[in-house]
């Protein structure tokens, strides 16, 4: 008798039927209809390296200003371990910059090996190499009165030449090379921002804050607007218990002669000036609007200025420092 003609084991047949009955039909269709979850964005790491005196510290500061977590003078052996601590979820570190250079002495000799291991971990790695002319580097070391880390018993130029020899291969493989010979510290910060900043990093953040003069000026104000010339709703008994965020108070304030024109005109005056703050490496601006107590006129005016600036495309938040203080 052929194997295919052999009788089936009744127990196995019952088991097969039971399994078929317990598997719902249509599951593949449900899976196909389910929305695909996009993969998490890979962590990003920037390695800042290059010649001593070329501006590595300033480049690291620029990255910190862009909300990167920065580690200075890191031995290359720690790069893979540091990358393993990064995450793409929650409030963990997902953008990390490490300054790695010849200050790590003998550890630096194995830099390329550990850089290769780092690239294999799945982290987006970018190497930024900073360079400058010999004359510029000598001038900077002499002005700072610090020795070159590889100078030893020789001259500053000896240390620079030795460093160039050690870093020649790394410079050739770098993703970006920034030559800072003619750069000021601000020029370097702008160049770093051009290379790595996203659109959200470069967005200006404007805060419009109301306050009461009797409690003092806000310490962090970049601009101060005085709206005490507007008649005070405090002296209207129906409005005294309300604030500038209530429609009756705002209606009263902007019915006064010149009030709406002044507030709207001030917002219009600021619109062409605000973008230049980012160009000058100042991404945060605080506009403080004050009245006597910080409850009625300043609050209504701050809300109106903020709305005007939002309509012009700026990212604006409002704060009412002294509201509820009376």
């Amino acid at each position: 008798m052929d194997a295919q003609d052999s009788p089936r084991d009744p127990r196995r047949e019952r088991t097969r039927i039971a399994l078929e009955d317990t598997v719902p039909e249509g599951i593949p269709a449900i899976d196909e209809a389910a929305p695909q979850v996009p993969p998490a964005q890979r962590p990003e790491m920037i390695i800042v390296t290059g010649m001593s005196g070329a501006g590595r510290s300033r480049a690291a500061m620029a990255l910190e200003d862009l909300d990167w977590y920065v580690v200075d003078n890191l031995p290359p052996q720690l790069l893979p371990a540091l990358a393993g601590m990064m995450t793409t979820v929650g409030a963990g570190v997902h953008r990390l910059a490490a300054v790695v250079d010849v200050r790590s002495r003998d550890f630096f000799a194995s830099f390329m090996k550990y850089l290769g291991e780092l690239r294999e971990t799945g982290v987006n790695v970018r190497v930024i190499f900073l360079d400058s002319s010999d004359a510029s580097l000598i001038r900077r070391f002499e002005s700072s009165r610090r020795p070159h880390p590889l100078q030893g018993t020789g001259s500053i130029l000896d240390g620079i030449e030795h460093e160039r020899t050690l870093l020649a291969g790394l410079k050739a493989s770098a993703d970006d090379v920034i030559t800072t010979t003619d750069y000021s510290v601000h020029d370097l910060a702008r160049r770093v921002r051009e290379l790595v900043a996203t659109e959200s990093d470069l967005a200006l953040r404007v805060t419009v804050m109301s306050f009461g003069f009797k409690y003092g000026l806000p310490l962090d104000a970049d601009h101060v607007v005085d709206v005490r010339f507007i008649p005070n709703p405090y002296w209207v008994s129906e409005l005294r218990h309300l604030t500038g965020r209530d429609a009756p108070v705002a209606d009263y304030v902007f019915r006064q002669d010149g009030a709406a024109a002044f507030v709207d005109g001030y917002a219009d005056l600021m619109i062409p000036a605000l973008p230049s703050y980012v160009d000058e490496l100042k991404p945060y601006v605080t506009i403080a609007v004050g009245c006597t107590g910080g409850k009625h006129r300043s609050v209504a005016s701050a809300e109106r200025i903020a709305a005007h600036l939002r309509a012009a495309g700026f990212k604006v938040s409002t704060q009412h420092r002294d509201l509820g203080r009376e």
Side-chain angles (χ1 to χ4, degrees):
M1 181 183 295
D2 295 336
Q4 63 182 10
D5 296 330
S6 61
R8 294 183 178 180
D9 186 335
R11 289 176 298 178
R12 291 185 178 179
E13 184 69 12
R14 286 195 297 270
T15 301
R16 182 184 64 80
I17 295 174
L19 288 174
E20 290 178 352
D21 291 342
T22 57
V23 178
E25 296 181 358
I27 292 298
I30 294 176
D31 291 339
E32 292 175 3
Q36 296 296 316
V37 178
Q41 183 180 5
R42 291 199 299 173
E44 298 176 82
M45 177 180 282
I46 289 178
I47 297 177
V48 179
T49 188
M51 296 295 294
S52 301
R56 296 182 311 245
S57 296
R58 182 58 197 176
M61 292 171 61
L63 290 168
E64 279 188 332
D65 292 341
L66 294 171
D67 201 30
W68 286 70
Y69 186 90
V70 178
V71 181
D72 192 17
N73 197 14
L74 186 75
Q77 288 85 340
L78 297 181
L79 285 172
L82 198 62
M85 298 170 61
M86 299 172 68
T87 178
T88 58
V89 297
V93 175
H94 61 279
R95 297 199 304 179
L96 187 147
V99 181
V100 182
D101 50 65
V102 296
R103 288 177 297 170
S104 57
R105 303 182 183 277
D106 293 343
F107 295 124
F108 191 76
S110 55
F111 177 84
M112 297 304 293
K113 170 189 173 183
Y114 290 103
L115 177 61
E117 291 183 9
L118 182 62
R119 294 190 186 279
E120 294 174 359
T121 63
V123 176
N124 284 325
V125 183
R126 184 173 184 178
V127 177
I128 298 179
F129 188 100
L130 275 70
D131 199 0
S132 190
S133 68
D134 289 354
S136 176
L137 294 175
I138 292 173
R139 185 170 59 252
R140 292 171 187 173
F141 275 107
E142 288 181 340
S143 64
S144 67
R145 300 186 179 182
R146 298 187 64 191
H148 189 282
L150 300 182
Q151 181 175 341
T153 58
S155 65
I156 294 175
L157 185 58
D158 291 335
I160 292 173
E161 291 176 347
H162 185 193
E163 188 175 28
R164 286 203 187 280
T165 301
L166 289 176
L167 300 182
L170 178 56
K171 180 180 178 180
S173 64
D175 297 286
D176 301 285
V177 176
I178 303 176
T179 302
T180 66
T181 301
D182 299 318
Y183 276 19
S184 69
V185 292
H186 303 298
D187 293 332
L188 176 55
R190 291 189 187 95
R191 180 58 181 146
V192 171
R193 292 172 70 89
E194 289 173 0
L195 287 176
V196 307
T198 63
E199 186 175 346
S200 60
D201 291 329
L202 295 175
L204 178 69
R205 294 168 176 82
V206 181
T207 300
V208 184
M209 176 190 298
S210 69
F211 72 97
F213 275 97
K214 70 179 183 180
Y215 301 116
L217 290 172
L219 296 177
D220 56 348
D222 298 295
H223 298 267
V224 177
V225 186
D226 185 355
V227 294
R228 288 176 293 182
F229 70 91
I230 303 172
N232 195 345
Y234 178 86
W235 303 113
V236 179
S237 59
E238 295 85 359
L239 303 179
R240 181 173 299 180
H241 67 290
L242 301 177
T243 74
R245 289 188 292 191
D246 295 309
V249 173
D251 292 342
Y252 175 87
V253 167
F254 297 118
R255 282 202 309 268
Q256 308 305 312
D257 290 341
F262 174 80
V263 171
D264 293 343
Y266 180 81
D268 288 335
L269 185 67
M270 292 301 301
I271 287 173
L274 288 175
S276 297
Y277 279 91
V278 175
D279 297 336
E280 293 302 314
L281 306 179
K282 191 179 188 309
Y284 302 94
V285 176
T286 299
I287 300 171
V289 186
C291 63
T292 303
K295 180 178 180 180
H296 296 106
R297 295 166 291 179
S298 62
V299 173
S301 299
E303 292 286 350
R304 186 168 178 130
I305 290 172
H308 206 90
L309 296 179
R310 287 191 194 100
F314 293 100
K315 184 177 181 179
V316 185
S317 63
T318 55
Q319 295 180 13
H320 302 296
R321 190 192 72 175
D322 299 324
L323 198 60
R325 191 169 178 175
E326 75 286 346

